[in-house]
Amino acid sequence: MKKNFLIAISLLFFNIIIGQNNAIKITNINSNKEKIIKENKRIKLTTFDGRKIKGRFKIENSSTIIIDDVRIDLPDIDSLKRNPLLVSIFTSGFLIYGGAVMAGFGVLIGVLVDSAAFWLTIPAAGMIYTGIKSPNFNKNHKKDKGWKFEIITISD
């Protein structure tokens, strides 16, 4: 009986040790506001030398993250924002599809009804361009605005 109890407690303890995940903690120095982004989530960041990198991040050690086989030190990050896949697909798909429909209707109405409808192709081109650039409406956390980044371990 004692053996079974010891094995059960050991398995629970082992599960707690293995069940911890790494994350990036973003803290505002001025207001002490905190946000946590768990590992393997999609982020978009800009470094101080101007590189823009987006993708799923993995944590290598306490001061380095990896995005698409590119190692980035935390002190080199200028700004960081969350970049959810569903929101990216929805916004870019909606803008591209809406711009294509608007351009199609503008050309069709311009040919068949009134030539002034060709003016609809200008905002349609803007919508398509914006959809291709994939807008991200999430808040950008910049170091010069008082945000600091650190790697933490959280339990599930």
Side-chain angles (χ1 to χ4, degrees):
M1 183 67 182
K2 287 183 181 181
K3 227 183 219 184
N4 291 338
F5 180 73
L6 187 59
I7 289 173
I9 295 297
S10 298
L11 287 175
L12 289 174
F13 183 72
F14 183 71
N15 187 23
I16 290 172
I17 290 174
I18 297 298
Q20 294 180 344
N21 293 326
N22 292 327
I24 294 178
K25 181 172 134 183
I26 305 169
T27 309
N28 191 325
I29 299 169
N30 303 326
S31 65
N32 290 330
K33 195 176 195 181
E34 295 181 351
K35 292 195 174 192
I36 295 176
I37 301 175
K38 292 183 180 179
E39 192 174 20
N40 293 324
K41 298 293 182 184
R42 290 174 44 94
I43 60 173
K44 183 176 183 180
L45 63 86
T46 306
T47 60
F48 281 112
D49 59 354
R51 290 186 298 165
K52 293 181 180 180
I53 304 167
K54 59 182 171 179
R56 294 188 183 274
F57 78 95
K58 297 207 180 285
I59 295 175
E60 183 177 27
N61 56 33
S62 64
S63 65
T64 306
I65 63 172
I66 299 173
I67 300 175
D68 294 333
D69 297 329
V70 177
R71 286 179 173 40
I72 300 144
D73 293 329
L74 283 183
D76 294 340
I77 297 174
D78 180 38
S79 66
L80 183 135
K81 70 165 75 171
R82 181 91 165 77
N83 190 20
L85 182 62
L86 183 63
V87 173
S88 297
I89 290 171
F90 180 71
T91 56
S92 63
F94 174 73
L95 289 170
I96 291 171
Y97 181 72
V101 168
M102 184 184 291
F105 278 130
V107 169
L108 188 63
I109 293 170
V111 169
L112 298 175
V113 179
D114 186 16
S115 64
F118 283 120
W119 288 102
L120 284 176
T121 57
I122 294 172
M127 285 177 69
I128 292 171
Y129 176 75
T130 305
I132 289 172
K133 293 299 276 180
S134 184
N136 186 345
F137 299 111
N138 288 329
K139 184 174 181 177
N140 198 7
H141 307 289
K142 291 187 167 195
K143 277 198 176 176
D144 59 354
K145 302 270 184 177
W147 293 94
K148 103 178 160 173
F149 312 116
E150 62 182 313
I151 294 176
I152 60 169
T153 302
I154 58 173
S155 60
D156 287 334

